[in-house]
Amino acid sequence: MSETSSNSIDPPLIDLPIETADSGFYSGFSKMVTVPSKIIVAALIVWAIVFPTHANETLKIANENIIREFSGWYVYLVAFLMLVALILAIIPQTGSLRLGSAGEQPEFSRFSWFSMLFGAGIGIGMLTYATGEPMSHFQNNPDIIRGMIEPVSQEAVRPAYVYTFLHWGFNAWATYALVGLAVGYVSYRRGLPLTIRSSLAPLFGKAMSGTAGHIVDIVAVVATILGVAVTMSLGVEQFVAGLHRIGMGDWLLKAEGSASNPAIVIALILLVGASTLSALSGVGKGIKWLSNLNMGLSFLLLAIFLIFGSGLLGIELLFTGMYDYIRTLPQLVLTLWSADGTSAGDALAQWQLDWSVFYWAWWIAFAPFVGMFIARVSRGRTIREYMFGVVLVPSVMCFIWMAIVGGTAIDLELSGAADGTILAAGISDQLYATLSVLFSPDIAMILSGLVVILLMTYLITSADSAILIVNTINGAGEDAADQASDRRHHIVFWGAAIALVVGSMLILGGIDAIRVTMIIGALPFSFVVALMAISIGKAVLFDLIRKSQDVPTTAEAIEAIAENQPA
């Protein structure tokens, strides 16, 4: 059914059939999505394990070309996504539109909803980068590169937080929010399958049932696996560093301080094994329980830093950082530095590639997973509540966490108490280094153990959620959580795939290999995300027109009219 006719606007498309197997190993799955996705991921794993040198060299060359040619695309795409999210949030008429039928109530309480948004979306990276990113920008950022301020100085603190908030604020969550809204809106209002291809139905109609739709979902599955691999790799490195801090042995680390190969293997078996078991229990049990635990432990750790760390400085950095961030946001998101042959110009371009472009690619690669998960837990909420909840609340939580935890680390260095030990620590070890300066050895060991436990729950939640989302996409939108017992083999496969991707890439080339692979994998999905932003804008606009013309906008209303029943 077309979106418009010559005289009036038609009701929306409410049927998008996706062929699935009726029986056998792939019963309930789209073979045209599941099999190619498994082949692509398996081929990547085999390539990395069997031909590590060739894989490493090829990935580096591909990354250099992609970064050089598409850095501007990533920068301007994320700016466009944030603009679309802002427009949808501030238009009064869109706010009352609900992700579901009229009067439908949310499945989860606000606390559980916020917990799941926070835990699945960004928790692991927060533990690594809460100290790591402010400390890094404290030493080097565009203002320092341009000679405006001195590194590791009082003047470097505020700019450090501007760039930290830039990378962990509205840009990231607007990307997630748009992907989740594009999927959830057409699924819960129009009855389309809960999968990525459905989000493009307002643009391409039933064409998304065929080959084009299969390709979109395959790209989303591969991006999800590579996106979650970055998060898992960061978490595994910090998890192993924490085990070393609490006295589990020097064998856990290599000479340069990164996780040893045996430690990586053991950590992945433990963490991904637990996440696979959690995935088998479904979203309503495992993920919800672990997300609530994550939130409780996070607040406990945050309170410890607020009380015993540099709480007042952290609060000051929170407000000054937010003020500076919001004031400079339009300029920051639209700035693209290019290498111009000068030392400053080349350094600025490289800084942006290493930080901003990496983050934009990471958020885009992570978006099918986080967006689908957000859609899954947001049914029944209005667009206004959804946008405020998904964009503002997690962003502010990230700001609070980084201001208080990172502010404490910076204060310890500025005061001389740390004597350079936090700056000298690797990014995976800086949180533990901060605790060791702040507390006595015994207390620091106990709190490091708390961080290790928190990392475990975040890692399990992220892998758990990713496995369920991948199976939902492969299952043509059928809720994998509700059918976990029927999909055990596929849950185990994707759990093993995540572990092997993370393990092979970490052993192959460390975090850099994971970053390179993810940036490459994010590129195809970036084009899908751009189309999703256009598609949700069209879907909402046309539904507002339909409402003005008394044309039904939900599957429930359309079916009721077809059956000559009151809507």
Side-chain angles (χ1 to χ4, degrees):
M1 184 181 297
S2 64
E3 287 280 331
T4 61
S5 65
S6 58
N7 297 320
S8 63
I9 191 167
D10 289 336
L13 178 71
I14 62 170
D15 182 33
L16 189 68
I18 302 173
E19 184 179 355
T20 58
D22 295 328
S23 60
F25 185 79
Y26 288 100
S27 177
F29 280 79
S30 169
K31 289 184 179 180
M32 297 301 294
V33 175
T34 309
V35 175
S37 298
K38 287 184 175 181
I39 290 173
I40 291 170
V41 173
L44 176 63
I45 294 169
V46 171
W47 182 44
I49 293 175
V50 179
F51 306 103
T53 302
H54 181 265
N56 201 14
E57 292 175 353
T58 304
L59 287 173
K60 286 181 178 178
I61 294 172
N63 179 62
E64 290 173 0
N65 291 330
I66 288 174
I67 285 293
R68 183 174 61 250
E69 299 297 332
F70 291 97
S71 58
W73 164 250
Y74 280 125
V75 169
Y76 294 130
L77 172 60
V78 170
F80 169 68
L81 297 177
M82 192 163 60
L83 176 63
V84 173
L86 176 64
I87 292 172
L88 289 174
I90 65 176
I91 295 177
Q93 293 89 337
T94 65
S96 60
L97 294 176
R98 190 175 295 275
L99 276 69
S101 57
E104 186 172 352
Q105 296 301 307
E107 179 181 359
F108 300 102
S109 69
R110 279 203 176 97
F111 180 82
S112 291
W113 185 50
F114 290 147
S115 297
M116 287 187 280
L117 294 180
F118 188 76
I122 223 156
I124 297 171
M126 286 267 295
L127 286 175
T128 300
Y129 285 102
T131 49
E133 182 149 359
M135 292 297 288
S136 179
H137 299 329
F138 180 53
Q139 300 172 79
N140 187 45
N141 65 57
D143 291 355
I144 294 173
I145 293 171
R146 288 176 290 190
M148 298 166 61
I149 54 176
E150 290 296 319
V152 193
S153 66
Q154 186 67 51
E155 292 75 23
V157 177
R158 283 184 70 164
Y161 273 91
V162 171
Y163 294 108
T164 298
F165 288 1
L166 170 67
H167 296 147
W168 293 86
F170 304 151
N171 308 61
W173 290 96
T175 302
Y176 298 156
L178 276 180
V179 172
L181 182 64
V183 173
Y185 190 86
V186 297
S187 179
Y188 300 139
R189 286 184 66 86
R190 303 181 178 184
L192 302 187
L194 186 69
T195 187
I196 297 296
R197 73 171 77 188
S198 296
S199 66
L200 300 184
L203 287 180
F204 303 111
K206 286 198 173 182
M208 300 313 296
S209 289
T211 302
H214 300 329
I215 293 173
V216 167
D217 281 347
I218 291 168
V219 167
V221 168
V222 175
T224 298
I225 295 300
L226 297 180
V228 80
V230 173
T231 302
M232 291 290 293
S233 64
L234 291 171
V236 166
E237 286 280 356
Q238 193 171 25
F239 178 74
V240 172
L243 293 179
H244 179 262
R245 282 278 181 176
I246 61 177
M248 298 297 288
D250 293 336
W251 64 274
L252 292 163
L253 300 180
K254 297 178 182 177
E256 73 274 12
S258 62
S260 66
N261 293 349
I264 291 170
V265 172
I266 293 172
L268 285 171
I269 291 173
L270 171 65
L271 297 168
V272 179
S275 68
T276 303
L277 293 175
S278 177
L280 291 170
S281 74
V283 70
K285 298 177 182 177
I287 296 176
K288 179 180 177 180
W289 185 85
L290 284 172
S291 296
N292 288 338
L293 178 61
N294 290 344
M295 187 62 83
L297 291 177
S298 296
F299 278 127
L300 174 60
L301 189 61
L302 187 64
I304 290 171
F305 273 95
L306 183 63
I307 296 170
F308 298 101
S310 305
L312 292 177
L313 175 63
I315 293 172
E316 179 185 344
L317 289 174
L318 172 64
F319 287 103
T320 58
M322 289 180 64
Y323 169 77
D324 292 340
Y325 166 63
I326 294 172
R327 179 176 56 85
T328 59
L329 183 59
Q331 174 188 348
L332 291 173
V333 298
L334 293 173
T335 296
L336 177 64
W337 284 301
S338 300
D340 58 8
T342 66
S343 58
D346 292 350
L348 285 170
Q350 190 60 51
W351 182 92
Q352 189 170 43
L353 295 179
D354 291 341
W355 287 100
S356 300
V357 174
F358 161 68
Y359 273 119
W360 301 164
W362 187 7
W363 302 151
I364 289 168
F366 219 38
F369 154 46
V370 180
M372 284 278 292
F373 183 74
I374 291 172
R376 170 62 186 84
V377 300
S378 299
R379 181 168 187 162
R381 301 192 185 275
T382 63
I383 290 180
R384 180 179 296 110
E385 181 184 15
Y386 174 92
M387 280 299 184
F388 278 112
V390 175
V391 177
L392 292 183
V393 174
S395 294
V396 172
M397 281 301 304
C398 291
F399 297 161
I400 293 171
W401 184 272
M402 291 190 160
I404 293 174
V405 178
T408 296
I410 287 176
D411 190 38
L412 291 173
E413 287 291 358
L414 283 175
S415 67
D419 196 24
T421 57
I422 302 174
L423 287 170
I427 192 170
S428 297
D429 195 41
Q430 284 184 327
L431 180 57
Y432 304 114
T434 304
L435 290 171
S436 68
V437 174
L438 200 56
F439 297 101
S440 67
D442 291 340
I443 300 298
M445 181 177 291
I446 293 172
L447 293 178
S448 295
L450 173 64
V451 174
V452 169
I453 294 171
L454 184 56
L455 267 170
M456 284 183 62
T457 59
Y458 273 133
L459 283 161
I460 292 169
T461 302
S462 293
D464 175 349
S465 304
I467 291 168
L468 290 176
I469 292 305
V470 165
N471 274 331
T472 299
I473 297 173
N474 289 331
E478 291 297 323
D479 194 337
D482 295 336
Q483 302 182 29
S485 60
D486 299 329
R487 302 185 173 187
R488 291 181 182 274
H489 298 300
H490 303 285
I491 289 174
V492 171
F493 174 88
W494 289 113
I498 290 172
L500 288 170
V501 168
V502 174
S504 62
M505 289 298 168
L506 278 179
I507 292 171
L508 170 67
I511 296 293
D512 287 341
I514 292 283
R515 287 162 59 113
V516 169
T517 307
M518 180 275 302
I519 289 173
I520 296 170
L523 183 60
F525 191 70
S526 69
F527 297 103
V528 176
V529 172
L531 290 172
M532 292 176 79
I534 298 170
S535 184
I536 184 58
K538 179 182 179 182
V540 169
L541 174 62
F542 277 48
D543 275 358
L544 292 177
I545 297 173
R546 290 185 181 100
K547 288 183 69 175
S548 70
Q549 297 182 6
D550 292 327
V551 176
T553 62
T554 65
E556 183 182 56
I558 295 170
E559 291 167 355
I561 290 175
E563 297 172 1
N564 294 319
Q565 295 178 356

